Amino acid sequence: MEDEPPQTPLQQLARWLAPRDYRLTRWLVLRLLGVVYTFAFLGLLFQGLPLLGSHGLTPIGAYLDRLHDAGVGFWQLPTLFHASASDAMIRALAVIGLVLSVACVAGYANLPSLLILWAIYGSFERVGQMWFSFGWEIQLLETGLLCAFLAHPWDPRPLAARAPPATAVVLLRWLAIRIMLGAGLIKLRGDHCWTELTCLDSHFETQPIPSPLSAGFHHMPHWVHAAGVVANHVVEVVLPWFAFGPRRLRLVAATGMIGFQLVLIASGNLAFLNWLTLVPCLALLDDDALLRLSPRRAAAWLRARLTSEHARLPHRVACYVLAALVFVKSFDVIANLASHDQQMNASYDRLELVNTYGAFGSVGRERHELVIEGTLDADPDHATWSAYELPCKPGALDRRPCLLGPYHMRLDWLIWFAAMAPKPHDAWVLHLVWKLLDGDRGVRELIATDPFDGVAPRWVRIRRFAYHLQSYGDDTWWTRDHEQLWLPPQSLESADLKAVLADYGWPSPTQR
């Protein structure tokens, strides 16, 4: 083994905060990041054109045209789509991102490949409009950038390559602290049910997309839900303070935070939020801890492949520069965490380098769902209506909830938000209705069940219900009541639909 060179003060500080080896930790972190990126780009490959394409619900081209008219250019909104917002560009970037993501899962990941993934996903995020308005979008960008510097500058072999700089590990731990504290504090300052220990009485039923296990969680007794809220506060408010503490406390924090995310993954479908949050939480582990968790033969095999070479000076210097940038930009984040007017998810620069996070500051007490229906009859007042079904949004009462993993169903999520309002207020909903009336083939890619097999209906309406999650063994998964006509019957001649297309510069529909 080579003698280690004398350490600089910054290097000594980083080694004090992260004093052990992290080659195996890096391997695990990058593989999981690759999984998240893979599902994120799969979503863009399958949903990108229906949502953002030239004939999508909110086309990138029309969005950029409005921004360009307002004087917004590349420096104000850094995205590759300034060069071209064509469908071919959307598809090409999604494919490139998917290929690099799968390579990351397979073991090929270095600084350049991860920077390309960061740049491509950032290009989508900045023009994705409401479809990318979730906190985990900027969290993926920040996590992806930090992991790029955790990776080797050129060698893609995470076990054989030189060790990651301790500074990169420290930055990931600082991210884990901010994610957890942000989520915990926003709850304590938000909905009073978090202090009354009642939030989980309704959360599993009212969350955006329940999973098959959500019914079991929902129908647990109140004392279990109350204990779950207490555990939530311990994990999100107390344990993050141990991330830079003594090793045993740090491992306790890692166990609690990782276990908490796994429970959230099992109890619902929160897209890739919890999978992504696991990435910086894994940085609280070190190689010794991971080797102790591995079977004896596997541990011996891994030890034989872990190199003893430390990161070279240019790599360490690059991480120091990044750390200095994160340090400066963290002041706004800390001020937000300390504020009684704490923002839930926000970025403080155009590249979303250092952000503040939070989730479920409030919890709904009742679940509302929109049921989109069409008819082929000429008279809507005396018509037979049939319902469209989205892939995972509750609709038909006997449909089993989905199990999605890290996959993000963006239209299903936005429909969940839209249903919170007692009447329509989102222009994209009216555009969706127009496309159904026009028989648009692209929008049908976002729908699981088309009752008309591609034939355009004459009228479309939307009803709103309160949905209730049933116990296992009941005849249906859901019951519903409190019916409301949320959007009256609309046709292609409806003035409101035409006005929305004109106001947003969205392209005219295809010919029926």
Side-chain angles (χ1 to χ4, degrees), residues 48-105:
L49 293 184
L51 296 178
L52 302 171
S54 58
H55 290 281
L57 288 172
T58 58
I60 291 176
Y63 177 66
L64 286 177
D65 287 343
R66 295 197 301 273
L67 292 180
H68 292 160
D69 291 342
V72 176
F74 179 83
W75 295 112
Q76 293 77 29
L77 189 77
T79 173
L80 298 172
F81 289 106
H82 285 291
S84 172
S86 66
D87 291 355
M89 183 69 160
I90 294 174
R91 192 180 295 109
L93 290 181
V95 169
I96 293 171
L98 180 59
V99 170
L100 291 176
S101 301
V102 172
C104 185
V105 176

Side-chain angles (χ1 to χ4, degrees), residues 48-370:
L49 293 184
L51 296 178
L52 302 171
S54 58
H55 290 281
L57 288 172
T58 58
I60 291 176
Y63 177 66
L64 286 177
D65 287 343
R66 295 197 301 273
L67 292 180
H68 292 160
D69 291 342
V72 176
F74 179 83
W75 295 112
Q76 293 77 29
L77 189 77
T79 173
L80 298 172
F81 289 106
H82 285 291
S84 172
S86 66
D87 291 355
M89 183 69 160
I90 294 174
R91 192 180 295 109
L93 290 181
V95 169
I96 293 171
L98 180 59
V99 170
L100 291 176
S101 301
V102 172
C104 185
V105 176
Y108 184 98
N110 56 18
L111 176 62
S113 68
L114 292 177
L115 285 180
I116 293 172
L117 281 170
W118 173 76
I120 292 176
Y121 200 78
S123 292
F124 277 104
E125 187 272 336
R126 293 176 197 112
V127 297
Q129 303 158 77
M130 75 285 297
W131 313 108
F132 282 75
S133 60
F134 308 100
W136 53 80
E137 310 294 356
I138 57 176
Q139 185 178 327
L140 178 53
L141 291 177
E142 183 173 357
T143 306
L145 182 63
L146 296 181
C147 287
F149 285 83
L150 180 75
H152 193 275
W154 62 84
D155 192 340
R157 302 169 300 164
L159 295 181
R162 290 176 177 269
T167 306
V169 178
V170 170
L171 292 176
L172 280 171
R173 290 180 182 173
W174 172 229
L175 173 60
I177 292 172
R178 288 185 283 120
I179 293 170
M180 288 295 175
L181 275 181
L185 293 176
I186 201 73
K187 292 180 176 70
L188 293 176
R189 293 169 176 153
D191 199 323
H192 58 82
C193 69
W194 288 111
T195 54
E196 295 174 354
L197 310 185
T198 59
C199 271
L200 294 187
D201 292 344
S202 58
H203 163 73
F204 299 110
E205 178 179 74
T206 62
Q207 64 181 307
I209 304 180
S211 77
L213 297 179
S214 297
F217 281 91
H218 176 62
H219 289 286
M220 287 180 176
H222 167 71
W223 70 266
V224 176
H225 290 159
V229 175
V230 173
N232 180 99
H233 295 328
V234 170
V235 170
E236 293 186 337
V237 180
V238 178
L239 293 187
W241 298 100
F242 301 149
F244 291 132
R247 181 172 183 264
R248 288 187 178 181
L249 287 179
R250 170 168 55 81
L251 294 181
V252 168
T255 302
M257 294 158 97
I258 291 170
F260 181 61
Q261 297 305 316
L262 294 177
V263 171
L264 293 177
I265 288 171
S267 64
N269 290 300
L270 299 179
F272 52 77
L273 170 61
N274 306 117
W275 301 78
L276 177 61
T277 303
L278 282 171
V279 173
C281 291
L282 290 174
L284 273 67
L285 302 174
D286 51 52
D287 285 3
D288 290 338
L290 291 174
L291 287 170
R292 289 192 66 179
L293 293 173
S294 304
R296 183 173 300 178
R297 288 187 178 181
W301 184 87
L302 289 169
R303 284 193 180 93
R305 283 155 179 79
L306 295 175
T307 70
S308 60
E309 296 178 295
H310 294 274
R312 289 180 174 174
L313 181 60
H315 193 187
R316 298 201 303 268
V317 170
C319 288
Y320 296 155
V321 173
L322 178 63
L325 183 63
V326 171
F327 176 79
V328 172
K329 289 189 169 293
S330 291
F331 284 101
D332 287 332
V333 176
I334 294 172
N336 180 64
L337 291 176
S339 173
H340 290 289
D341 298 320
Q342 177 189 353
Q343 291 180 284
M344 187 173 293
N345 295 293
S347 56
Y348 299 97
D349 60 82
R350 65 196 67 177
L351 291 177
E352 293 100 354
L353 297 175
V354 181
N355 313 298
T356 191
Y357 304 101
F360 290 99
S362 61
V363 173
R365 307 303 192 272
E366 188 172 37
R367 181 183 195 91
H368 288 101
E369 287 292 347
L370 301 181

Side-chain angles (χ1 to χ4, degrees), residues 47-60 129-131 411 427-436 440 442-443 446 500-501 504 506-507:
Q47 303 173 51
L49 293 184
L51 296 178
L52 302 171
S54 58
H55 290 281
L57 288 172
T58 58
I60 291 176
Q129 303 158 77
M130 75 285 297
W131 313 108
L411 179 58
W428 67 265
V429 175
L430 298 181
H431 198 194
L432 172 63
V433 170
W434 181 284
K435 285 183 169 295
L436 292 174
D440 182 82
V443 79
L446 302 173
V500 165
L501 262 67
Y504 284 84
W506 289 332

